[in-house]
Amino acid sequence: MTKFSDLKLDPVVLSAIADAGYETPTPIQAGAIPHALEGRDVLGIAQTGTGKTASFVLPMITLLGRGRARARMPRSLVLCPTRELAAQVAENFDTYAKYTKLTKALLIGGVSFGEQDKLIDRGVDVLIATPGRLLDHFERGKLLLTGVSIMVVDEADRMLDMGFIPDIERIFQLTPAATRQTLFFSATMAPEIERITKAFLKNPARIEVARQATASETIEQRLYSIQPTRRDQSAKQKREVLRALIQSEGADCTNAIIFCNRKTEVDVLAKSLKAHGFNASPIHGDLDQSQRTRTLDGFRDGTIQFLIASDVAARGLDIPAVSHVFNFDVPSHAEDYIHRIGRTGRAGLKGKAFTIATPADEKYLGAITGLLKMPIPVGTLPEGFGFSEASQQPPRERDEKPSRGAPSRSRGGASRSRGGERPAPKPLPEPIETAEPSSAVVDVPEAPAPRAPRPDHTARTEPRTEKRTEPRNAPRPERERRESGGTVRGMGDHVPDFILRSFRTAAQAAKDGEPEPDEGSDA
Ligand code: AMP
């Protein structure tokens, strides 16, 4: 088995690795590092969680060990799709470069230009950036990319999803093609990604680590399919199911990431959970950077127990011990299911991933079970669970603004939950949306729903690509506004094709059962 000491890394890098407690390189590290150290381009097909960050940071530190940074001309560049991922790469860099004198700057949105300008002016060895903010600095004349000898593109598939490919192409063109070494990482190779790599990589060493098409065996997956009694109360009834599941897990649920498909739902759910006495905080791209950082830090150090997240905000985040993942919404892209549940059960720890589904999710579940090549085992709702009386009435304003101490109104009828008569569930911490026994909770049969193929990346991206290209020439404030949340709050950059053709309100889209994917969190 390859050891780090076999990899011809700088001894100071080896010392830092030893301090971090890593003994053996992961497959992507063992595959990519030797080629990178030889100066070859690398095409790494690997997902987050495989150790891919170190597979480019370690050789970069070694290669940059000689030479000095010049003002406004960074020697290397790492592009990340989101601020959080960029910050995570910067942390990795600090860890592995601690015995060197290399300097770095992190260029992400939500942080003032002034401090970033100062760092660039002094000269940095490593520039870690999101594409939007990097181009903003470039356009302000503060940055020259002609000194970049190593360029890394991290999570290229997510860049594609977020419409950053035109920015990436432009950045490639601003760096010196003849002398640049490129390390390019993507979890999947969509045709558009293939095209970029053909255009900008020179005879790359292709390292593909086993695709995580099957979920880790340390993750216990469960599917809770419910039949909402009212379509307009579906979200409320899902929240009741979620709370009941959390409560039934008791002390086993030390912390959890709860995924929603829409930013608006992230906010609503976080507020609702807080109102019910849960220690929950939202994270998505409409929140300002300092708030997102505080929330993540709080979740990492245990002061926040429940992180309510959108896919983009949580993608690639390295949070070592998460006991549970809840899919409040079934993800509309099957691969997101794998990414989401992969937040738990890491590093050999046990984890649980619970998914709440309604009949509207059937086609997404079909795609997920197709990817997993197995059905998600069906879970049984906690004994005695039933929808509250309130959730079976037409929605009222009060439903979203829980009032304290409101008496619960039961139908007084017998529970028609699966399994027959059951005792009333134990009261929730703040019984606003009461959970009294009712009918309508059913488990779906184990047979997988018909498989729906994942939409072609290229087709899905076209409108976003146009959307991104156009504002790049727009005045900076306009572009920042779009990149940090889009023209319509809550819609984001991941605007599906149908919305670009004919815009409808989020409420109408939700009513029609359309997902509102999350935004890019760059800028
Ligand atoms: P990444 O895929 O870069 O997000 O890394 C996932 C996690 O693996 C991070 O917590 C890293 O610190 C950790 N890691 C990276 N390389 C190794 C290694 N060789 N041995 C053990 N853990 C590692």
Side-chain angles (χ1 to χ4, degrees):
M1 191 188 286
T2 314
K3 296 195 294 291
F4 275 115
S5 52
D6 300 332
L7 291 181
K8 299 193 180 138
L9 289 162
D10 189 319
V12 294
V13 175
L14 291 175
S15 302
I17 293 169
D19 291 355
Y22 302 153
E23 285 164 9
T24 45
T26 64
I28 186 73
Q29 291 163 0
I33 291 173
H35 295 295
L37 288 175
E38 280 167 15
R40 262 188 88 174
D41 282 2
V42 169
L43 172 56
I45 304 164
Q47 303 196 347
T48 186
T50 55
K52 72 175 164 52
T53 315
S55 77
F56 60 79
V57 172
L58 301 179
M60 278 175 79
I61 298 170
T62 300
L63 291 168
L64 295 168
R66 275 161 262 120
R68 279 192 42 212
R70 291 163 61 190
R72 287 192 284 152
M73 289 182 71
R75 300 167 63 207
S76 66
L77 174 62
V78 181
L79 292 173
C80 303
T82 67
R83 300 165 181 180
E84 281 78 13
L85 279 169
Q88 211 162 277
V89 170
E91 266 174 39
N92 272 255
F93 180 82
D94 288 344
T95 304
Y96 303 129
K98 67 180 183 179
Y99 296 123
T100 75
K101 291 205 169 85
L102 296 176
T103 54
K104 69 151 202 309
L106 178 62
L107 303 190
I108 54 176
V111 177
S112 84
F113 279 90
E115 285 304 307
Q116 298 179 348
D117 284 345
K118 269 191 225 156
L119 287 172
I120 298 171
D121 283 348
R122 257 184 255 148
V124 290
D125 297 296
V126 183
L127 198 57
I128 301 159
T130 49
R133 183 50 80 100
L134 180 87
L135 285 171
D136 286 339
H137 276 279
F138 180 80
E139 283 162 13
R140 292 163 86 241
K142 297 285 182 186
L143 186 62
L144 285 169
L145 296 176
T146 44
V148 169
S149 61
I150 306 172
M151 174 163 156
V152 178
V153 178
D154 194 14
E155 304 239 352
D157 52 337
R158 185 49 54 150
M159 303 262 198
L160 173 68
D161 282 349
M162 294 169 70
F164 285 144
I165 293 300
D167 290 352
I168 300 296
E169 289 190 82
R170 173 139 188 251
I171 295 167
F172 264 123
Q173 281 153 0
L174 296 172
T175 60
T179 52
R180 182 196 65 224
Q181 179 185 7
T182 309
L183 311 176
F184 192 100
F185 291 84
S186 186
T188 54
M189 288 302 287
E192 184 71 351
I193 302 280
E194 198 87 53
R195 182 183 70 75
I196 297 286
T197 58
K198 287 210 173 99
F200 296 105
L201 271 62
K202 297 181 289 286
N203 184 27
R206 185 181 168 117
I207 296 78
E208 185 160 0
V209 300
R211 253 187 68 64
Q212 205 185 338
T214 50
S216 158
E217 285 176 6
T218 56
I219 306 171
E220 183 186 328
Q221 300 175 65
R222 289 283 174 269
L223 176 66
Y224 296 91
S225 286
I226 59 164
Q227 177 76 54
T229 51
R230 296 184 58 93
R231 201 172 170 204
D232 55 10
Q233 289 286 42
S234 166
K236 186 180 177 77
Q237 294 183 345
K238 281 165 71 178
R239 291 196 292 273
E240 292 183 349
V241 171
L242 175 68
R243 293 197 301 270
L245 290 174
I246 292 173
Q247 287 184 318
S248 75
E249 286 299 294
D252 287 352
C253 185
T254 49
N255 60 352
I257 305 180
I258 304 172
F259 285 97
C260 302
N261 289 355
R262 304 178 177 90
K263 286 180 290 181
T264 44
E265 191 63 66
V266 168
D267 280 332
V268 170
L269 182 59
K271 275 189 200 134
S272 167
L273 283 173
K274 273 191 229 167
H276 281 268
F278 294 92
N279 176 1
S281 278
I283 184 157
H284 59 68
D286 274 356
L287 302 171
D288 74 46
Q289 186 56 36
S290 59
Q291 202 173 345
R292 285 155 64 168
T293 306
R294 261 200 319 276
T295 300
L296 276 178
D297 288 347
F299 188 67
R300 283 197 179 104
D301 70 22
T303 48
I304 294 170
Q305 191 184 1
F306 298 101
L307 186 69
I308 324 302
S310 60
D311 286 293
V312 169
R315 169 83 184 247
L317 294 180
D318 180 30
I319 303 165
V322 175
S323 73
H324 286 63
V325 163
F326 292 94
N327 287 316
F328 181 77
D329 295 312
V330 177
S332 48
H333 296 153
E335 282 155 16
D336 283 339
Y337 178 83
I338 306 269
H339 290 303
R340 287 180 181 188
I341 71 169
R343 309 290 88 213
T344 184
R346 300 188 92 177
L349 296 173
K350 288 214 179 311
K352 292 185 183 178
F354 293 170
T355 298
I356 301 171
T358 67
D361 299 314
E362 203 180 311
K363 70 172 181 187
Y364 301 136
L365 283 174
I368 291 167
T369 52
L371 184 65
L372 292 172
K373 299 197 175 59
M374 60 169 237
I376 306 172
V378 172
T380 309
L381 285 163
E383 196 167 305
F385 175 81
F387 295 137
S388 70
E389 172 78 9
S391 78
Q392 301 191 61
Q393 304 300 325
R396 284 172 296 171
E397 186 127 335
R398 184 177 74 80
D399 294 340
E400 296 303 336
K401 291 188 202 154
S403 64
R404 282 159 194 273
S408 61
R409 286 181 295 123
S410 163
R411 268 184 184 169
S415 166
R416 280 172 285 154
S417 314
R418 194 167 170 268
E421 289 244 339
R422 283 181 178 156
K426 62 182 179 211
L428 297 171
E430 291 182 51
I432 297 109
E433 295 167 351
T434 55
E436 283 150 22
S438 83
S439 60
V441 178
V442 292
D443 289 342
V444 283
E446 194 139 340
R451 183 173 176 177
R454 185 171 198 262
D456 174 75
H457 269 95
T458 314
R460 199 151 52 79
T461 306
E462 267 167 15
R464 290 181 208 141
T465 305
E466 284 163 22
K467 189 163 175 280
R468 277 280 167 195
T469 315
E470 175 267 317
R472 180 56 58 205
N473 304 321
R476 194 169 53 75
E478 164 63 11
R479 201 165 72 222
E480 282 211 335
R481 190 169 65 80
R482 281 169 181 258
E483 290 188 350
S484 64
T487 48
V488 181
R489 264 189 93 74
M491 293 305 296
D493 292 339
H494 258 229
V495 182
D497 189 22
F498 73 92
I499 287 182
L500 290 178
R501 285 201 298 272
S502 163
F503 181 75
R504 286 174 296 155
T505 63
Q508 183 63 44
K511 210 171 133 203
D512 294 348
E514 304 276 6
E516 174 208 355
D518 194 54
E519 78 303 336
S521 52
D522 177 32

